[in-house]
Amino acid sequence: MAGTAVVKPGAVKPSTVKRGGRWSPWLFAIPALAVYVAFLVYPALSSLWFSLTNWDGLSATYKFVGLDNYFKLPHDPVVVSAVKNNLIWTVVTIAVPTVIGLLLAIALNGKVHGKPILRLIFYTPAVLPLVSIASIWGWLYNPQYGAINSFLRMIGLDGLAQAWLGQDSTALWAVMVPAIWLRTGFPMLLYLAALQGIPNELYEAATVDGATKWQQFWHVTMPSLRPAHYIVLALSLIDSFKVFDMIYAMTYGGPGTSTQVMGTWMYFNVFQYYQAGYGTAIAVVITLVAVAVGIPYVRSQTREAS
C-alpha cells in the first residue's frame, strides 16, 4: 500500500523504562513492614524486656531483675500444676477431636443422605464464640438446675449427679467436653477435603490386588492424608498450649488450681496480682513453646512445596 512505511524487525529500540532502582521494592513493602513492626515486632520485644523486670503493670518505674522471673517458674507450685493441666488438655483435646473428626469425615465422604446439613451441624460449633459456648455448658453443668444433672435424676441415677465444675476430680474433664465438641469440626472439614482429593484409581487398584477395606484405609487413605495430619496436629497443638478463654469463662482456673493452665495463670499475674514482669515471663514461655511446635510443621510444608 502506497505511503505505508515498512518497519524492519529490530529497527525500533524499546523505550527505556525509568526504574526506581534497587530500593523500589522496599518502598512498596514499607506499609506492610510498618504494620508488622508496630503490631508484632515491637510488642514482642517489649514483652521480652518486661519479662526481665519486676514491673507491676502500672508504675512508671521498674527494676531490671534479669532471668529471676524465669528461674521462679519451676519453683512455683501453680506453674507446676498449670503445666500438668496443659499437658493433659493438649493430649485429650488433640487426640479425641482428631479421631472423631476423621471418622466423621470418612462417614460423610460416603453415600449419606443430607450430607450438606450434617456437615453444617458438625462444623457449626467451631465458629461459635467461645464465651457463649462456655456459658451454655456452664448452664448444662449447673448442679441444681443444669440439664445434665436433671437428666441423671430423671432416669434414676441421682448418685451420679454432682457439681461437675466444683470438684477437683471432675472440673478439668468437664471443661474438656465442650472443648472437644467445638474442636471436632475443624479436623473433620480438613480431612473431608483431603479425602475428596484421593484418586479413586488407588482404591480400584487396591481392590484388584485383593486388599480389604481395613487394608485400603491403612495403606491408601492414611498415607494420602499425611498433609492434612500435619495441619490438624500442628494447629491443634499450638491452640492447646495457649488455651485461656474456655477455662477462664467456665471455672476461672478453679476450684483451687485444678483447671489452672499457663494462659490463665499469666492473666492473673498480670491483671490481678500486678506482677506484670512475672506474668510476661509466662507469656514468653508459652510463645516459645508455640514457636517450637510450629517450626517442624513449617519445615515439613516447605519441603513438600519444594
Side-chain angles (χ1 to χ4, degrees), residues 95-296:
V96 178
T98 299
V99 173
I100 297 176
L102 178 58
L103 295 176
L104 288 175
I106 294 173
L108 294 177
N109 193 48
K111 297 180 180 180
V112 180
H113 294 292
K115 285 195 290 187
I117 297 177
L118 291 174
R119 293 172 186 173
L120 178 64
I121 292 173
F122 290 128
Y123 186 70
T124 297
V127 297
L128 294 176
L130 290 178
V131 175
S132 63
I133 292 176
S135 300
I136 293 171
W137 280 87
W139 171 78
L140 292 174
Y141 282 131
N142 188 281
Q144 279 78 37
Y145 53 81
I148 295 177
N149 282 350
S150 298
F151 175 76
L152 292 174
R153 296 187 185 102
M154 183 180 65
I155 62 176
L157 297 176
D158 302 57
L160 296 179
Q162 54 191 297
W164 300 98
L165 299 177
Q167 301 178 140
D168 293 353
S169 58
T170 59
L172 183 62
W173 300 100
V175 178
M176 284 192 288
V177 171
I180 292 170
W181 176 64
L182 68 91
R183 289 168 181 253
T184 300
F186 177 70
M188 180 205 71
L189 198 65
L190 287 180
Y191 283 132
L192 186 59
L195 286 170
Q196 293 175 350
I198 302 176
N200 290 328
E201 290 79 3
L202 296 178
Y203 293 104
E204 293 172 357
T207 302
V208 171
D209 292 339
T212 63
K213 291 293 183 181
W214 170 251
Q215 291 173 330
Q216 291 180 25
F217 171 78
W218 191 251
H219 297 288
V220 177
T221 303
M222 290 300 287
S224 301
L225 294 178
R226 187 175 292 112
H229 292 325
Y230 280 132
I231 298 174
V232 170
L233 294 178
L235 297 182
S236 299
L237 193 58
I238 294 172
D239 191 51
S240 297
F241 272 109
K242 60 185 184 68
V243 59
F244 168 77
D245 33 22
M246 178 69 72
I247 290 178
Y248 181 81
M250 291 189 69
T251 64
Y252 210 59
T257 60
S258 59
T259 60
Q260 196 76 258
V261 293
M262 293 292 282
T264 54
W265 189 231
M266 176 270 296
Y267 174 84
F268 290 143
N269 276 280
V270 174
F271 296 104
Q272 291 193 2
Y273 305 149
Y274 302 107
Q275 297 180 2
Y278 184 62
T280 308
I282 299 175
V284 171
V285 171
I286 296 173
T287 303
L288 292 177
V289 171
V291 170
V293 170
I295 288 176

Side-chain angles (χ1 to χ4, degrees), residues 33-53:
L33 287 175
V35 173
Y36 181 79
V37 171
F39 293 99
L40 184 64
V41 176
Y42 175 73
L45 294 178
S46 298
S47 298
L48 182 61
W49 167 252
F50 286 124
S51 71
L52 304 176
T53 68

Side-chain angles (χ1 to χ4, degrees), residues 4-21:
T4 303
V6 179
V7 180
K8 296 180 180 181
V12 180
K13 296 182 180 180
S15 58
T16 303
V17 180
K18 186 177 181 181
R19 299 180 179 179

